[in-house]
Amino acid sequence: TGNLAPDKWRISNNSDWEKLKEYTTNNTAVLKGGQSWAEFKGIVHNNLSGFNAVATGFFKNSLEDKEKHLFYWVIQDNNPKVIEKTAVISYNSNLLNHGTNTENVGYCIRCVRND
């Protein structure tokens, strides 16, 4: 309906995530905050960006991989009412990846300010 994000904000789209990927040189260590991330050999998290990504997992019949992943819905650049894919931050990689969306799975939403 277009009423999910607060006034002057919108749900992030693919271009937003590509800008973040470029800004961080595709290193999600600078996005991962708190102690919510499961440990994995050689993978660090330091939240140097202040983004504070928390490993919330996802919902599909039950909470799965609670400390291992964070999924965000990503809308299409040219159609803000259509979900294009997901942005994925994982415990076992410091790369921002994309996944496909699934209607029966719950993911997080990241809003950005309209500027």
Side-chain angles (χ1 to χ4, degrees):
T1 64
N3 295 322
L4 187 59
D7 189 35
K8 298 183 182 178
W9 291 75
R10 62 180 169 74
I11 299 171
S12 56
N13 60 30
N14 189 54
S15 294
D16 297 322
W17 287 102
E18 289 302 316
K19 288 176 190 173
L20 184 62
K21 192 174 183 177
E22 182 179 333
Y23 177 75
T24 63
T25 60
N26 200 19
N27 178 8
T28 61
V30 301
L31 303 175
K32 296 175 185 175
Q35 301 299 317
S36 66
W37 294 94
E39 292 186 24
F40 191 81
K41 184 179 179 183
I43 302 296
V44 298
H45 55 275
N46 55 37
N47 196 33
L48 290 177
S49 67
F51 188 87
N52 201 34
V54 176
T56 58
F58 56 92
F59 185 81
K60 180 180 179 181
N61 301 326
S62 66
L63 199 57
E64 299 179 18
D65 292 332
K66 187 176 109 183
E67 297 177 347
K68 296 183 179 180
H69 305 289
L70 173 57
F71 291 81
Y72 287 109
W73 292 113
V74 179
I75 59 173
Q76 288 183 352
D77 289 343
N78 59 354
N79 188 347
K81 294 187 178 185
V82 176
I83 297 167
E84 183 172 30
K85 54 187 164 187
T86 59
V88 181
I89 300 173
S90 295
Y91 77 108
N92 59 352
S93 170
N94 275 337
L95 300 177
L96 179 62
N97 293 302
H98 293 289
T100 57
N101 68 62
T102 305
E103 291 180 6
N104 62 349
V105 177
Y107 300 126
C108 297
I109 296 172
R110 186 82 179 182
C111 293
V112 294
R113 189 162 175 85
N114 284 327
D115 289 330

